Amino acid sequence: MRRMRKILVSFCMAALVTGLSSCGTSKNAAVLADIDGEWNIIEINGAAVVPASGQAYPYIGFDKSTGRIHGNAGCNRLMGSFDVNAQPGKIDLSQLGTTRMMCPDMTLEQNVLNVLAQVKQYVKLGEENIGLCGKSLKRPILILKKKASELTLADLDGKWKIVEAQGGALPDSLENQPFVQIKAAEKTLHANAGCNILNGGIRTEEGNAASISFPQLISTMMACPDMEVEDRVKQALNATRTFGRLQEGCIGFYDAGNTLVMVLVAYE
């Protein structure tokens, strides 16, 4: 796993900037938020998190039914538990564990882990954010923003234009514009990689609505003057393991390291 998911700087993506709020005092404990679900980490100690091109926000997820925590710190997966019976507004994240993979740049991940270890309480900030605080109530040390609802395979049904692959935009001047066409009910993929036609099945993992892969894709064997775009499209599809929602209605495919490898836009 290389790094985590992925906000690509393109017309499909936009930066998110959020201001700080006080964690308050016990007086505002009555407005504590429901932390259940998944949350992007958008601020650390007052500094906005700005993911690199092809990366995404680190995130943390809370499951109040089981007391389990999951997420991604920027490279490695987060895991652990929390006390669902704790006093409202109190939460201890000092005992979270992670996987042990190395990534090219571990700075963001180390910042996330260092600050999570200090978290002792949480509070609602506005309509859609959560503040995680340490022992001090003066200001949040982390700000979380609710992740958009997860897509399902059914949401991918239809034809999609491939606008980016393997970190680069595809030119609009191609004679055969690369696309993927997904039939969710049949779990099949039909695609054009820019020259050759691809066909194959779709594999998903039970219990993971965002999982998707295309094992044993079959391609026609035509030779074209320029195969660079086609090679990138094929590499991206072969590497795909999950998918997610981007901004402006785009869909992202991600590899096993949660790096964005393809961006799709629905045909109108």
Side-chain angles (χ1 to χ4, degrees):
M1 187 180 286
R2 298 194 295 260
R3 287 178 62 87
M4 173 185 181
R5 109 177 17 190
K6 29 216 154 101
I7 300 294
L8 192 64
V9 181
S10 69
F11 68 94
C12 287
M13 315 301 290
L16 179 62
V17 178
T18 304
L20 284 170
S21 299
S22 170
C23 273
T25 66
S26 57
K27 186 176 181 180
N28 66 11
V31 295
L32 293 175
D34 183 350
I35 64 171
D36 204 40
E38 292 187 338
W39 303 81
N40 286 325
I41 299 172
I42 62 171
E43 252 184 49
I44 301 174
N45 281 327
V49 174
V50 182
S53 176
Q55 305 302 314
Y57 288 98
Y59 76 97
I60 186 167
F62 303 94
D63 186 342
K64 292 178 67 175
S65 65
T66 64
R68 301 301 298 172
I69 291 173
H70 66 280
N72 192 296
C75 168
N76 285 282
R77 288 184 292 111
L78 291 170
M79 62 205 75
S81 60
F82 67 106
D83 183 2
V84 296
N85 297 313
Q87 180 183 348
K90 303 296 183 181
I91 190 167
D92 188 335
L93 302 181
S94 63
Q95 300 300 316
L96 294 181
T98 68
T99 51
R100 299 290 185 178
M101 291 170 288
M102 292 298 296
C103 299
D105 185 354
M106 301 289 286
T107 303
L108 174 59
E109 170 149 318
Q110 196 57 59
N111 288 340
V112 169
L113 296 177
N114 288 342
V115 176
L116 283 174
Q118 303 171 35
V119 172
K120 301 298 180 185
Q121 50 196 329
Y122 67 94
V123 68
K124 184 175 182 179
L125 301 177
E127 293 300 317
E128 53 184 12
N129 292 351
I130 293 289
L132 298 182
C133 302
K135 294 179 180 180
S136 172
L137 297 174
K138 292 182 179 180
R139 65 187 300 174
I141 54 178
L142 287 164
I143 293 182
L144 312 180
K145 183 179 178 65
K146 192 78 170 184
K147 290 184 70 175
S149 59
E150 293 292 337
L151 296 170
T152 66
L153 184 61
D155 294 311
L156 301 187
D157 199 65
K159 188 175 181 180
W160 300 82
K161 179 181 178 181
I162 303 172
V163 295
E164 298 183 22
Q166 295 294 89
L170 301 192
D172 290 326
S173 57
L174 295 174
E175 182 177 351
N176 296 310
Q177 180 64 47
F179 70 86
V180 297
Q181 187 168 13
I182 291 175
K183 293 186 177 181
E186 301 173 12
K187 285 193 172 182
T188 59
L189 171 83
H190 173 70
N192 187 307
C195 172
N196 284 283
I197 301 299
L198 308 174
N199 287 287
I202 296 173
R203 178 182 295 167
T204 58
E205 296 178 9
E206 186 175 354
N208 183 359
S211 73
I212 190 170
S213 60
F214 311 107
Q216 300 177 337
L217 283 175
I218 299 173
S219 174
T220 55
M221 301 297 289
M222 294 180 292
C224 301
D226 185 357
M227 300 292 285
E228 187 268 338
V229 168
E230 172 145 326
D231 288 343
R232 283 164 51 199
V233 170
K234 287 181 176 179
Q235 289 169 12
L237 288 174
N238 286 327
T240 295
R241 294 295 179 271
T242 59
F243 64 94
R245 191 191 312 274
L246 304 178
Q247 296 194 19
E248 302 298 330
C250 299
I251 298 295
F253 283 170
Y254 308 100
D255 66 12
N258 288 321
T259 296
L260 185 65
V261 294
M262 182 173 285
V263 177
L264 309 174
V265 177
Y267 276 92
E268 297 182 355

